[in-house]
Amino acid sequence: GLGISGAMAQAASDFTAVDTDASGDVSLIEAQVVWPDLTEEAFAAADTNGDGRVDQAEYEAYLAANPPA
């Protein structure tokens, strides 16, 4: 199976892996599990409707504009 690093690399592009509580959107805390260096400012930039959560459309748009390394 995948090791932790492989799972984390996969999670970086898999919305459902980041949305650990399966709520349909990602909180800052959920996002910081995958990206420990994520700032509140970067999260706010992804949260285009300003509701404090990043939904799948916002997530995909943010990843398209800021591809993982």
Side-chain angles (χ1 to χ4, degrees):
L2 290 175
I4 296 298
S5 61
M8 293 300 263
Q10 182 180 20
S13 59
D14 184 354
F15 179 82
T16 57
V18 182
D19 178 22
T20 54
D21 65 0
S23 62
D25 49 35
V26 174
S27 68
L28 176 61
I29 293 167
E30 286 172 326
Q32 286 178 329
V33 169
V34 178
W35 299 286
D37 297 331
L38 182 71
T39 64
E40 289 185 40
E41 291 78 12
F43 185 82
D47 178 23
T48 54
N49 69 2
D51 67 355
R53 310 282 294 179
V54 172
D55 63 30
Q56 189 159 4
E58 289 170 329
Y59 179 87
E60 290 172 358
Y62 186 78
L63 277 187
N66 303 278

